[in-house]
Amino acid sequence: MLSKEWSALKNGSDIRGVGSEGVPGAAVTLTDSVVEAIAHGFVVFLQEKYSLAPEKITVAIGHDSRISAQRIKNACTRAITSTGANVLDFGLCTTPAMFMCTVDETLTVTGSVMLTASHLPFNRNGLKFFTPEGGLEGSDITEILTYAQENRRAGSGAGKVECMDFLSRYAAHISQIICAETGLEKPFDGMKIAVDAGNGAGGFYAEKVLKPLGADVSGSCFLEPDGTFPNHIPNPEDKEAMQAISKAVTDSGSDLGVIFDTDVDRAAIVDHTGREINKNKLIALISAVLMEEKKGTVVTDSVTSAGLAVFIRDTLGGIHHRFKRGYKNVINEAKRLNTEGVYCPLAIETSGHAALLENYFLDDGAYLVTKLLIKAVKMRAQGRKLTELIADLKEPAFAAGHRLSLTGADYKADGQQILDALSVAVEKNDRMELEAPNFEGMRVNIGDGWFLLRLSLHDPLMPLDIQCDSEDCLKEIYAFLRAFLSSFDTIDISSLV
């Protein structure tokens, strides 16, 4: 069983911790010795998974712009090569590219490691792992951390290190797709597209994809990698970040804007007016593009709007399958459906994690944007704009979100107790009805709105999402929740007052 210290590093299907000093009270947990032990554990994992001697193993390593990246990469490299395994050092890279290298037929990559903590603060970092089968599962991370805790080693030797600019190769791959799908050598000629990389790893998309294919990217901002993230959090869900790309588009007169998170596995866009196309609108837009090709099922997380479900069903002729939060959850559910014969081309979270069947079900922000821009080019030739595809999407008049802290020692048990009691309370309330099917927490329909209360995947929190079409419904939901939750002394509801 993992100790408290090692289990604290597990974050679902990857590893996260503190990578550098600079935040009071946040001691570095991804020390050199810890990182080396984890890297040794990954080599053992690959050795046992593929029955390979260490010298037959090659691990690719890439990182985003975080200030602890070089130190952590050096620790990984030392550990891996000390077993006799080889390292491909990609330097600055993206999470999706680190998977793509494992299926690149010109390389022989056994597994890869991406050093990133996504949109978390500058002092954080982490490790994401891939094999040719895809990203690792939570159980795999537990296995690797167990090997690290036990100080397991795959062997001893002197592996080689080779440096490679794989991000340019990945950019060329994306560019080839765009040209092939549009039938044009310069598909973005005459278009002005602004990119906001948030000083993460996404600047390559402007410089190595859009600009060579004819786009004017002069309205772009924050393309230079800077692990202190001096301008805004690189996160398409962040209000300040979305305001930044909206302003960049309107100030420069761009036709579209694109924003990525730090490691480019998430994205969003804005239209020529600066209107944000993220969350439900983004899901609707990529669903519309895919449903034109072939009708099917779209798997989303649990917090999507009622209007989105209606849009997918009535406007697109597809099926909306609302599932659990967590990008691995929606991806695995989509894979399961396809295995059972249900055509499902898309798994997507409101956070901007989008994985397409045609692209290995890899959550790839650059591929998502590429798919949308290809459609934009085709519609432009018809004198139309991309966002016309979601003209019929109904959005809620009121939307609110809260993160309610659980204050007890056993927050998971306390949270489950609250959810169980909520189920009983809803059954007794003639105005309320549980959503069916309901895969996560308690999603409750009431009047012209709904609310969803659930347990956080990793933190002592109960996220609460509310959407309504009338202020009266919004007031009714808040009144009910304040009265119901006030009877529990293990949850902080001060934000609801």
Side-chain angles (χ1 to χ4, degrees):
M1 181 178 292
L2 288 175
S3 68
K4 182 179 179 181
E5 291 74 18
W6 286 104
S7 62
L9 296 173
K10 182 180 177 182
N11 182 69
S13 56
D14 56 66
I15 288 170
R16 298 252 178 105
V18 178
S20 59
E21 297 178 346
V23 175
V28 173
T29 55
L30 291 175
T31 62
D32 281 10
S33 60
V34 166
V35 171
E36 288 176 12
I38 292 170
H40 274 294
F42 185 46
V43 177
V44 173
F45 174 84
L46 294 174
Q47 183 182 42
E48 297 195 351
K49 181 178 179 66
Y50 297 114
S51 300
L52 291 173
E55 59 269 20
K56 299 294 184 180
I57 292 174
T58 297
V59 178
I61 304 176
H63 58 78
D64 64 20
S65 59
R66 292 176 181 276
I67 60 177
S68 58
Q70 189 65 45
R71 177 186 66 80
I72 294 177
K73 181 180 71 174
N74 290 344
C76 283
T77 301
R78 281 195 305 270
I80 292 168
T81 55
S82 72
T83 69
N86 302 306
V87 166
L88 280 176
D89 181 352
F90 289 166
L92 186 72
C93 209
T94 70
T95 292
M98 292 310 298
F99 165 72
M100 292 302 293
C101 76
T102 69
V103 294
D104 189 314
E105 294 180 355
T106 67
L107 301 175
T108 54
V109 174
T110 319
S112 65
V113 184
M114 176 65 182
L115 308 179
T116 182
S118 187
H119 62 281
L120 293 182
F122 76 94
N123 67 317
R124 304 293 297 277
N125 214 325
L127 297 87
K128 291 185 178 181
F129 303 93
F130 296 96
T131 68
E133 289 77 42
L136 299 193
E137 300 291 337
S139 58
D140 300 323
I141 299 302
T142 299
E143 186 176 343
I144 290 170
L145 288 172
T146 300
Y147 293 149
Q149 178 177 277
E150 295 172 352
N151 202 30
R152 288 275 297 275
R153 299 289 186 267
S156 62
K160 298 178 180 179
V161 179
E162 179 183 350
C163 294
M164 177 182 294
D165 177 13
F166 188 78
L167 193 53
S168 291
R169 184 183 298 202
Y170 173 76
H173 164 71
I174 290 290
S175 299
Q176 289 167 4
I177 292 172
I178 295 170
C179 292
E181 289 294 318
T182 60
L184 301 170
E185 290 186 6
K186 297 284 186 180
F188 303 125
D189 193 25
M191 292 183 70
K192 198 168 188 178
I193 304 173
V195 175
D196 183 340
N199 302 111
F204 84 96
Y205 198 83
E207 299 296 337
K208 297 186 178 186
V209 178
L210 297 179
K211 190 174 180 180
L213 296 184
D216 178 347
V217 296
S218 60
S220 299
C221 56
F222 316 138
L223 301 183
E224 290 299 316
D226 184 341
T228 64
F229 308 127
N231 295 291
H232 62 68
I233 298 170
N235 182 3
E237 286 190 290
D238 181 71
K239 182 179 180 180
E240 184 181 354
M242 292 307 298
Q243 287 174 344
I245 183 58
S246 294
K247 185 176 187 300
V249 167
T250 55
D251 286 353
S252 64
S254 293
D255 299 296
L256 280 170
V258 175
I259 185 169
F260 296 113
D261 74 340
T262 320
D263 60 325
V264 198
D265 60 359
R266 294 189 293 132
I269 65 172
V270 300
D271 69 9
H272 68 288
T273 69
R275 180 173 68 127
E276 300 175 7
I277 310 297
N278 60 356
K279 300 180 180 179
N280 289 289
K281 292 190 288 290
L282 183 66
I283 298 172
L285 187 58
I286 185 59
S287 296
V289 171
L290 294 172
M291 293 298 147
E292 280 191 359
E293 299 172 2
K294 183 178 178 179
K295 306 299 183 187
T297 296
V298 175
V299 178
T300 73
D301 58 2
S302 59
V303 299
T304 49
S305 68
L308 176 67
V310 172
F311 177 80
I312 291 174
R313 183 191 68 212
D314 295 351
T315 302
L316 303 183
I319 298 171
H320 180 208
H321 182 79
R322 190 184 286 117
F323 198 57
K324 301 175 183 177
R325 291 278 281 181
Y327 70 95
K328 286 293 289 183
N329 288 331
V330 295
I331 289 172
N332 287 343
E333 180 68 358
K335 288 180 176 179
R336 182 189 69 81
L337 289 172
N338 279 287
T339 299
E340 295 180 357
V342 177
Y343 175 66
C344 176
L346 176 65
I348 184 168
E349 275 198 303
T350 49
S351 65
H353 277 289
L356 277 65
L357 171 63
E358 66 187 57
N359 189 44
Y360 302 93
F361 269 129
L362 172 66
D363 51 319
D364 184 344
Y367 192 89
L368 169 67
V369 167
T370 294
K371 193 76 176 176
L372 295 176
L373 289 181
I374 289 170
K375 185 63 177 178
V377 169
K378 293 178 179 179
M379 293 183 70
R380 183 171 180 261
Q382 302 167 351
R384 302 172 61 204
K385 293 189 180 298
L386 180 66
T387 49
E388 291 178 26
L389 294 176
I390 56 172
D392 293 336
L393 175 67
K394 182 181 178 182
E395 298 183 65
F398 300 94
H402 301 269
R403 292 169 66 83
L404 309 178
S405 297
L406 291 166
T407 57
D410 189 348
Y411 71 88
K412 289 187 177 181
D414 293 338
Q416 190 58 54
Q417 180 185 20
I418 291 171
L419 292 175
D420 291 343
L422 178 59
S423 178
V424 174
V426 168
E427 287 183 7
K428 295 179 178 179
N429 191 313
D430 293 337
R431 288 274 297 155
M432 297 183 178
E433 181 181 36
L434 286 176
E435 178 78 8
N438 190 65
F439 292 102
E440 181 177 36
M442 290 289 154
R443 182 169 172 135
V444 179
N445 298 316
I446 173 173
D448 58 13
W450 59 268
F451 69 86
L452 170 65
L453 184 67
R454 62 183 177 87
L455 263 169
S456 169
L457 296 176
H458 310 299
D459 302 310
L461 297 167
M462 295 196 79
L464 169 66
D465 292 278
I466 303 171
Q467 291 188 11
C468 299
D469 287 330
S470 69
E471 190 171 359
D472 287 343
C473 180
L474 186 68
K475 290 179 179 178
E476 183 178 1
I477 289 174
Y478 273 117
F480 168 80
L481 288 171
R482 282 193 293 266
F484 170 74
L485 292 173
S486 63
S487 62
F488 297 90
D489 59 8
T490 55
I491 188 168
D492 180 0
I493 62 169
S494 57
S495 66
L496 301 184
V497 177

